């Protein structure tokens, strides 16, 4: 082929995955890590290229979580957790920290109805005295995948068909049939909690595993849980969702705004589950696997504080559309874990904000820290900070800038070879089956109907239906049989 006459076209596609430069990608399922669990290496060029390209797919709308609503308020520490973390805003009961919270749907565009069956985002920005901490999560405690290299793929599968711009579940089932770890999240998506009544009656979960570090340097894995004080309420039927959405496609946004305006302030309690990393081998799952929950009978919820939203945003564009979150924003006493999804998100979210809002997005008032801050990040598009220094480098004897005192960080050694590998304890079927069996018969029946209806899409092949029935049967044999009967498919198990 004459390279001077080559025209980029899908008609020239190869049958193997390559980088944008044409080099073959020998593993597009696992990120390159130190050992089988991580952390992820920055030298995984394909991962960085893939996620960076994914973050630049939309202008200027968010690629995910485009449809959202925000409100402001405070977080109050209510319990002594200083044995777990030295985070300043958790230094003592009664300490209050200003926050802004953004709720969202994940997949669909800014103008989409808020009654769509879809995960909901639950993102909180804490304006602490030691900088901003962003805690990003969803209304489900688990996610479809456990490795960040697959994030662009799972979102592409859920997004509308690139040819027709119609969301079609055959694409979801096709992709996730290769990833049985997704089963657990399906048991939330197709459950009653798949369509919250509104944002006030919705739980939130950090999903990722973070690390608390106390003043002595002791580290614990933690999972974050938000529990609404007014309880959890959901829309149970498609007919009810259509009725609510037909009356007002912004019903959840309006409910949030109106409740605050009338003095009915939404409130959530924050709890954490805590695990000593030295004890993780006793569990039959990997605590850094985002497709797993931690059993509350073994790792009980511990109260931390309360979140109250008592002020509406002053300008929707400034404080919702320009509001930018990133899990890379942590404060002393809170740190990342080797969770592969979290490790990827630390890069991806900041990168997408730099693309969406510009390199100085953290100067925007809604994103800027409320504490004093200074560094040598200069210039760039839309830089509006007045600076009159002559020194924009470090170190300098002319204008010395001191380094901050060391902060406690996890000290566990990282040892391993470069490899792309799956975790040792996937255990993809146990927790979904337990969740299904915990429901009453009516709730099980609604789940079966929703799953079967989605598998019944005319473009879902018989092969895919059989695969999914087999996967569901591994979670619970009776569940697989019920869906097989509805679809008139004979299970192979």
């Amino acid at each position: 082929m004459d390279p001077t006459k080559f025209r980029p076209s899908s008609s020239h596609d190869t049958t193997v995955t390559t980088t944008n430069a044409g080099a073959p990608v020998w593993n597009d399922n696992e990120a390159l890590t130190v050992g089988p669990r991580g952390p992820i290496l920055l030298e995984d060029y394909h991962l960085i290229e893939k996620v960076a390209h994914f973050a630049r797919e939309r202008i200027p709308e968010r690629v995910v979580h485009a449809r959202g609503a925000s409100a402001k308020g405070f977080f109050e520490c209510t319990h002594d957790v200083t044995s777990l973390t030295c985070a300043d805003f958790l230094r003592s009961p009664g300490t209050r920290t200003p926050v802004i919270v953004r709720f969202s749907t994940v997949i669909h565009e800014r103008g989409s109805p808020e009654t769509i069956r879809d995960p909901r985002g639950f993102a909180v920005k804490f304006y602490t005295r030691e900088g901003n901490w962003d805690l990003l999560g969803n209304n489900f405690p688990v996610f479809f995948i456990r490795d960040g290299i697959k994030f662009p793929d799972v979102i592409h599968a859920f997004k509308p068909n690139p040819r027709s711009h119609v969301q079609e579940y055959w694409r979801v089932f096709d992709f996730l049939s290769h990833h049985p770890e997704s089963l657990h999240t399906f048991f939330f998506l197709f459950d009653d909690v798949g369509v919250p009544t509104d944002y006030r009656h919705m739980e939130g979960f950090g999903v990722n595993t973070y690390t608390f570090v106390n003043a002595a340097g002791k580290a614990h894995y933690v999972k974050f849980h938000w529990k609404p004080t007014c309880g959890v309420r959901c829309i149970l039927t498609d007919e009810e969702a259509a009725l609510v959405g037909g009356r007002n496609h912004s019903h959840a946004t309006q409910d949030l705004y109106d409740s605050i305006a009338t003095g009915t302030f939404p409130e959530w309690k924050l709890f954490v589950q805590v695990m000593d990393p030295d004890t993780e081998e006793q569990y039959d799952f990997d605590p850094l696997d985002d497709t797993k929950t931690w059993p509350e009978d073994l790792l009980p919820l511990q109260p931390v504080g309360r979140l109250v939203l008592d002020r509406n945003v002053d300008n929707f564009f400034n404080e919702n559309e320009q509001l930018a979150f990133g899990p890379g924003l942590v404060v002393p006493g809170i740190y990342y874990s080797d969770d592969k999804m979290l490790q990827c998100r630390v890069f991806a979210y900041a990168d997408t904000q730099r693309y969406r809002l510009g390199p100085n997005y953290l100067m925007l008032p809604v994103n800027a820290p409320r504490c004093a801050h200074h560094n040598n990040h200069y210039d760039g598009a839309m830089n509006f900070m007045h600076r009159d220094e002559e020194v924009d480098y470090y170190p300098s004897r002319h204008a010395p800038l001191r380094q901050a005192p060391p902060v406690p960080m996890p000290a566990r050694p990282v040892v391993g070879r470069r490899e792309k590998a799956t975790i040792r304890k996937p255990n993809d079927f146990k927790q979904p089956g337990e969740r299904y069996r915990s429901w009453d018969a009516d709730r099980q029946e609604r789940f079966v109907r929703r799953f079967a209806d989605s598998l019944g899409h005319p473009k879902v092949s018989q092969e895919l239906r059989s695969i999914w029935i087999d996967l569901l049967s591994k979670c619970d044999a009776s569940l697989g049989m019920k869906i097989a009967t509805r679809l008139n498919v004979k299970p192979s198990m």
Side-chain angles (χ1 to χ4, degrees):
M1 180 184 297
D2 182 355
T4 63
K5 297 181 179 179
F6 177 72
R7 176 177 178 267
S9 168
S10 60
S11 63
H12 301 302
D13 282 354
T14 69
T15 57
V16 299
T17 302
T18 72
T19 66
N20 281 350
V25 175
W26 65 271
N27 185 327
D28 195 23
N29 283 320
E30 286 89 22
L32 184 66
T33 56
V34 179
R37 296 176 65 202
I40 289 174
L41 292 172
L42 191 61
E43 68 186 64
D44 190 340
Y45 171 79
H46 177 60
L47 166 66
I48 301 301
E49 179 185 59
K50 181 177 181 179
V51 175
H53 188 278
F54 174 69
R56 290 160 171 79
E57 287 184 355
R58 301 289 190 277
I59 302 174
E61 182 177 285
R62 289 171 170 89
V63 178
V64 289
H65 299 277
R67 172 67 138 122
S70 302
K72 297 179 284 188
F74 64 88
F75 175 82
E76 180 180 7
C77 179
T78 57
H79 291 73
D80 184 358
V81 291
T82 53
S83 63
L84 295 173
T85 176
C86 61
D88 176 75
F89 77 101
L90 298 175
R91 62 189 177 274
S92 62
T95 301
R96 287 192 175 187
T97 302
V99 300
I100 188 167
V101 179
R102 187 175 189 269
F103 306 100
S104 57
T105 56
V106 174
I107 295 299
H108 299 277
E109 296 91 341
R110 281 188 301 202
S112 57
E114 292 178 309
T115 50
I116 293 176
R117 185 166 298 276
D118 189 23
R120 265 61 173 175
F122 193 127
V124 185
K125 185 182 293 290
F126 298 76
Y127 300 101
T128 87
R129 301 193 308 182
E130 295 183 308
N132 292 353
W133 175 43
D134 287 0
L135 175 57
L136 288 78
N138 288 334
N139 66 321
F140 303 158
V142 289
F143 196 59
F144 293 96
I145 52 172
R146 60 168 64 99
D147 195 308
I149 201 170
K150 303 308 296 177
F151 186 71
D153 298 295
V154 70
I155 298 301
H156 282 168
F158 272 94
K159 286 283 190 181
N161 185 318
R163 173 180 286 183
S164 65
H165 201 66
V166 175
Q167 187 185 32
E168 297 172 329
Y169 259 88
W170 68 266
R171 293 161 35 82
V172 175
F173 290 126
D174 176 32
F175 168 66
L176 289 177
S177 68
H178 300 278
H179 296 279
E181 71 264 30
S182 64
L183 280 161
H184 200 184
T185 308
F186 273 118
F187 280 65
F188 287 86
L189 180 65
F190 288 140
D191 180 27
D192 291 348
V193 297
V195 185
T197 299
D198 49 58
Y199 296 132
R200 289 185 297 126
H201 294 87
M202 186 179 83
E203 289 183 294
F205 302 91
V207 184
N208 297 125
T209 300
Y210 281 83
T211 306
F212 268 173
V213 189
N214 65 19
K218 173 61 180 175
H220 288 87
Y221 292 148
V222 290
K223 289 275 196 181
F224 296 102
H225 299 248
W226 296 106
K227 302 292 184 183
T229 58
C230 59
V232 175
R233 288 171 52 189
C234 307
I235 296 176
L236 300 185
T237 67
D238 293 343
E239 293 74 20
E240 182 185 358
L243 183 63
V244 173
R247 288 197 303 258
N248 182 0
H249 83 298
S250 300
H251 80 283
T253 296
Q254 182 167 0
D255 176 84
L256 178 67
Y257 189 93
D258 289 349
S259 65
I260 295 174
T262 58
T264 306
F265 301 143
E267 181 174 340
W268 288 261
K269 303 293 187 184
L270 177 63
F271 298 85
V272 292
Q273 288 178 285
V274 181
M275 179 189 295
D276 188 330
D278 294 334
T279 68
E280 64 176 274
E281 287 302 322
Q282 71 187 58
Y283 303 103
D284 62 1
F285 61 91
D286 190 322
L288 307 187
D289 180 358
D290 288 352
T291 71
K292 300 295 181 292
T293 55
W294 295 0
E296 293 182 16
D297 57 336
L298 302 177
L299 299 160
L301 297 180
Q302 301 183 32
V304 176
R306 68 188 186 113
L307 169 69
V308 178
L309 300 180
D310 57 4
R311 287 179 296 144
N312 280 309
V313 296
D314 300 307
N315 180 281
F316 185 82
F317 180 79
N318 290 349
E319 296 179 298
N320 185 78
E321 294 306 293
Q322 292 194 130
L323 178 57
F325 292 94
L329 300 184
V330 293
V331 293
I334 302 176
Y335 202 68
Y336 324 114
S337 72
D338 292 341
D339 175 335
K340 290 186 183 183
M341 284 295 296
L342 177 59
Q343 291 263 316
C344 181
R345 293 175 81 209
V346 167
F347 163 77
Y349 278 63
D351 185 56
T352 195
Q353 305 299 3
R354 286 188 290 267
Y355 167 67
R356 191 173 69 89
L357 298 172
N360 291 300
Y361 72 96
L362 289 176
M363 287 186 185
L364 293 167
V366 71
N367 300 320
R370 305 288 175 84
C371 60
H373 59 285
H374 176 71
N375 56 47
N376 291 316
H377 299 172
Y378 262 68
D379 302 334
M382 300 301 291
N383 186 314
F384 51 86
M385 179 180 289
H386 171 71
R387 306 183 77 159
D388 56 10
E389 302 99 334
E390 295 183 288
V391 174
D392 57 357
Y393 48 84
Y394 174 85
S396 166
R397 290 185 174 87
H398 177 78
L401 181 67
R402 292 186 300 107
Q403 294 191 86
V407 298
M409 292 181 63
R412 287 169 65 86
V414 177
V415 179
R417 64 183 184 183
R418 291 180 174 88
E419 57 182 305
K420 285 177 173 273
T422 56
I423 60 175
R424 289 187 296 109
K425 294 186 284 188
N427 205 354
D428 295 326
F429 308 107
K430 178 183 177 183
Q431 290 191 1
E434 291 174 342
R435 178 171 173 81
Y436 174 78
R437 288 186 291 274
S438 72
W439 298 334
D440 60 36
D442 288 346
R443 191 169 177 176
Q444 289 182 350
E445 175 59 24
R446 288 192 293 271
F447 175 83
V448 168
R449 175 176 51 77
R450 294 174 189 130
F451 214 120
D453 287 349
S454 295
L455 279 176
H457 188 285
K459 292 185 74 172
V460 176
S461 66
Q462 286 297 100
E463 177 191 16
L464 276 178
R465 288 174 185 155
S466 296
I467 289 172
W468 278 100
I469 289 169
D470 286 348
L471 292 174
L472 292 166
S473 298
K474 291 177 181 178
C475 299
D476 184 273
S478 66
L479 169 62
M481 185 62 68
K482 289 177 182 176
I483 292 183
T485 300
R486 281 180 173 266
L487 296 173
N488 195 26
V489 175
K490 183 176 180 181
S492 61
M493 292 186 64

